[in-house]
Amino acid sequence: MIAAILLCGCRPVAIAPVVVAELPAPVPAPIERWVDAHAVEGGDGSQAQPMKRLGPALLAGATVHLKSGLYAGPFELPEGIHLVGHGEVVLYAEGETTVLTASDASLESLSVQGGFIGIHSSGRLTLRK
C-alpha cells in the first residue's frame, strides 16, 4: 500500500531525447607500395620488402615508389595513381605498343622509353622532373 501511495504521488519526469551524432566516415590510410627491379620475387610491397614487378603494385589512388632499374611494360595505370622514381628509373616496352596508358595519373622522376607510343593519356596527366 505504501508503494501505491508513492507511485500516485510521483510526477512524471520529462526525459530529453537522446541525440546521436553521426561520426564522419573514417579516412582510409594512403596506399603506398615500393617496387625494386633488383628485389627477390615475393615482396609484400613495403619499403623493407619491395615487389620486384611494377604491375602488381598498380592500385587506384596509390603512391608507388620505384627504385632504380628497368621496368618492362606495357603498363595501364589505374585512376589517381602517383608513380615516383628514386634514382634512374626507366619504364619501357618493346615493339609497336604503347609503353604507358593513363587517364588520371602523376609521374615523377622517371623516364619512358621504347614502344611505338611512349605515353597515351586520355585525361589529366601530371609530369614532374
Side-chain angles (χ1 to χ4, degrees):
M1 191 174 287
I2 296 175
I5 294 172
L6 289 176
L7 288 176
C8 292
C10 292
R11 292 186 173 170
V13 177
I15 299 175
V18 176
V19 177
V20 178
E22 288 189 34
L23 297 175
V27 176
I31 300 169
E32 283 199 281
R33 295 287 185 261
W34 289 82
V35 182
D36 184 347
H38 305 290
V40 296
E41 290 286 352
D44 62 8
S46 65
Q47 189 171 5
Q49 295 182 334
M51 297 175 169
K52 182 173 181 67
R53 302 185 192 288
L54 176 57
L58 298 176
L59 302 171
T63 296
V64 180
H65 300 273
L66 299 157
K67 294 187 178 180
S68 289
L70 300 171
Y71 297 90
F75 301 102
E76 188 164 332
L77 301 183
E79 194 168 308
I81 196 160
H82 181 186
L83 300 182
V84 181
H86 298 272
E88 296 296 321
V89 175
V90 178
L91 307 180
Y92 75 97
E94 296 179 0
E96 295 188 21
T97 187
T98 300
V99 179
L100 198 65
T101 303
S103 62
D104 177 20
S106 174
L107 308 176
E108 183 175 340
S109 301
L110 56 86
S111 297
V112 176
Q113 294 180 1
F116 186 70
I117 297 174
I119 301 174
H120 178 263
S121 177
S122 58
R124 191 185 89 207
L125 182 64
T126 303
L127 304 174
R128 292 185 195 113
K129 298 183 191 176

